[in-house]
Structure formats: structure tokens, C-alpha cells
Amino acid sequence: MSAFRLLLPLLLWLLLPTRLLAEPAFYHLSKGDRQFWLLGSIHAAQASIYPLPDAIERAWAQSRALVLEVNMAAIPADEWQQVASLTRLPPGRTLANEIPPALYRRTQEAASRLGLPPASLDGLQPWFAAISLTQRALVKSPFSGEYGIDQHFANRAAQGGKPVQGLETLTEQLGYLASVAEHQDLMLAATLDELPELDTSFAAILAAWQDGDEARLIALLKEEMAPPALQQWLEQTLLARRNHDWLRRLPALPAESFVVVGALHLYGEQGLLALLEGAGWRIKPLTRPESVRAVTGSASD
């Protein structure tokens, strides 16, 4: 997200009157003498989402460091070598060997429609072929990673000399994604099903993010990842397990960090907000999302 980032009414989200009222969910976290800011990210967007609300801009100006899921600007050479071993098939194996013939044909046809040489996917693990197709489709869509929230603040940190830290390494993140292996045929098939509607579904996700609409984001997640086995993997491994890992690493972050993670990591019983509250952190919303969680301190100050 971060990687796969959230895979899957364009005019509607531009016209809805609630756009003037609701804002992306953004929180101040405090415990003892430590404080952070937490912003849920959308990993691709449009220039029209900027500027961000004043509360976010003020916090950015006060923060001392940026924390992302992965600091993509500081990947050592040896880690890139590990990336290849995670995302590519062993020598002598091809995508055609790994998936059913009908699914392979659909994959090749989708690659051709998106302007990708079909052979470019042949050496990839099926789960990474799915991500590659999604990324290519986004390149051809109205949305761009250039305007994603994480990339936006990574650029600003680089321009302003603000230090950047990752909550996990790239190989850790890809390792979580690779753990879908048992269900990667489902992941690839679901991706192929969703690609024709990607512009519309991503516009709906972006609109829900802009409104800080927790319920809508969760509903969209469940709609997009319909196969139960894939849904379970996504919720338990890609979201919940990483959230618990991040919670353990939070105390070691630089003081007054501005933390940006995929928006879906915030919500639910195993979401970061619930885990932080359970660990004794005081959580204060700083924006006016469509649905504000009932969290400690949210109604005060």
C-alpha cells in the first residue's frame, strides 16, 4: 500500500455537496510526553485533491520526521536482489506453468489491452503479475501515484530536508504480499475481473477517502475482494498482522513524527486506531471526516 495498495461515480465525487464539508480522517496521537500525527493514505489520486486541509498542513509544518510504510528512497542494493527472488518465478518456470490455461489466456489478453508486452509477465509470480497489471491500468487511468498522499509527502520531505523512516522494509512488505501464494490464482482472477471497472471503483475509493468515510471504505474493500479466502488473507495478514507489527515499532519512531499509512490500516477491531487506543494512546481527530470514530479524547479539546 506501500505496494497493492488497495487494488481495487467519477463525476459524482466531483459534484457531491458533502465534499465541501467532510475531510480526510487525520489524527493526533499522544501518550505521556510523546506525540505523533497519523494520516491514512490513498496511494494514487489526482491533482485536484490538493491543497490538503489546513489541519494537515499545520501538523506537517510542526512535525520533525516523516514515517511511511516503506522508505522507497533508501532501499539498499542487496534488498533489491531479495525483491527479485520474492517477485519472480524460479529459473525454468513461467507464468503459464503456474496458473490454469484459461487464466493465463485472460492474463495475456489483459496485458495486450494495457499495452504491456505479454511476455513481460511470464517470469513473474502470479500475485506480482496481478499487481503489475493493476499498476499499468492506473498509469492509463485518470489517477496517478504521483499524487498519492505518501508520494506527496515523500517529495516534500526530500525538498525540505525532513528525515524519512519506514515502518517496515520493502522485503518485509513484499513478503506479506507473497504470503498470498496459496490464493494467488484467486488474486489474479479477481484483478482481471476488476480491471474494466478500475476507474469507477478507484474514484469511489478516492471519494470515500476524501470524506474520511470509514464505513464506506470498509464496504468498498469487501466489495472489491469478494472471494472469501482472499478476503480473509487480506484482513488477517495484509492488514491486521502488519498493524500489530507497526504498533510494536511505534515507540521507536522519531519524536513528533508525521505518520502516513494506507487508510484501510486505520479501521476495524484490528485497525491501528483501535490498537493504539487499547495500548493507552490518546487519539484526537483533527479534521471533520464523514464518520468520526468514538475514541478516547475525540470529544475534548
Side-chain angles (χ1 to χ4, degrees):
M1 147 210 97
S2 196
F4 178 40
R5 296 291 193 200
L6 303 163
L7 289 178
L8 348 141
L10 189 51
L11 291 178
L12 184 60
W13 74 263
L14 289 170
L15 297 174
L16 276 174
T18 55
R19 182 77 52 238
L20 301 175
L21 303 174
E23 298 176 318
F26 180 57
Y27 301 91
H28 178 263
L29 314 176
S30 60
K31 185 177 183 181
D33 61 353
R34 295 183 66 77
Q35 65 170 337
F36 303 106
W37 292 273
L38 177 63
L39 177 61
S41 173
I42 190 83
H43 299 295
Q46 296 172 307
S48 58
I49 73 168
Y50 299 100
L52 296 171
D54 289 345
I56 297 175
E57 292 296 339
R58 287 194 299 270
W60 174 253
Q62 295 174 52
S63 65
R64 297 185 181 181
L66 172 65
V67 176
L68 302 171
E69 293 180 19
V70 174
N71 181 10
M72 294 298 296
I75 308 296
D78 61 339
E79 190 168 1
W80 283 118
Q81 295 173 356
Q82 297 175 53
V83 166
S85 68
L86 283 168
T87 60
R88 300 193 65 83
L89 292 165
R93 302 291 296 175
T94 68
L95 191 61
N97 303 136
E98 304 296 315
I99 59 178
L103 182 58
Y104 181 73
R105 286 194 299 273
R106 289 184 64 201
T107 302
Q108 297 294 284
E109 290 166 1
S112 295
R113 285 195 301 271
L114 293 169
L116 278 177
S120 67
L121 303 179
D122 280 346
L124 303 183
Q125 294 281 354
W127 66 267
F128 196 65
I131 291 174
S132 300
L133 288 170
T134 302
Q135 290 175 331
R136 178 63 177 176
L138 278 172
V139 167
K140 298 174 74 66
S141 80
F143 311 101
S144 170
E146 176 186 357
Y147 298 116
I149 297 299
D150 41 3
Q151 187 60 52
H152 171 77
F153 283 107
N155 291 342
R156 291 179 67 176
Q159 293 163 5
K162 187 170 290 192
V164 181
Q165 184 169 318
L167 282 166
E168 60 193 9
T169 66
L170 179 59
T171 49
E172 283 177 319
Q173 186 176 91
L174 290 174
Y176 280 115
L177 287 164
S179 72
V180 76
E182 182 181 352
H183 310 299
Q184 58 183 335
D185 287 10
L186 279 177
M187 179 177 171
L188 181 54
T191 298
L192 293 170
D193 290 342
E194 293 160 10
L195 284 178
E197 304 299 324
L198 184 138
D199 288 5
T200 299
S201 60
F202 202 89
I205 291 170
L206 180 56
W209 174 83
Q210 283 188 286
D211 287 343
D213 192 337
E214 170 185 345
R216 182 63 178 145
L217 278 170
I218 293 173
L220 287 166
L221 168 68
K222 292 184 180 298
E223 289 172 14
E224 295 300 331
M225 303 300 293
L230 197 57
Q231 178 72 29
Q232 184 178 43
W233 167 80
L234 178 65
E235 293 180 358
Q236 294 184 2
T237 299
L238 203 60
L239 294 176
R241 190 181 301 173
R242 292 168 73 206
N243 289 345
H244 283 272
D245 285 345
W246 295 350
L247 183 69
R248 287 192 292 270
R249 297 172 186 183
L250 192 66
L253 296 180
E256 299 180 0
S257 289
F258 190 98
V259 183
V260 179
V261 299
L264 282 169
H265 284 279
L266 302 186
Y267 305 124
E269 293 181 359
Q270 299 297 313
L272 281 176
L273 293 175
L275 296 178
L276 285 161
E277 188 178 19
W281 287 83
R282 185 169 181 268
I283 304 171
K284 176 184 175 183
L286 297 179
T287 52
R288 298 169 298 173
E290 182 74 17
S291 53
V292 177
R293 283 173 43 89
V295 294
T296 302
S298 63
S300 62
D301 299 334

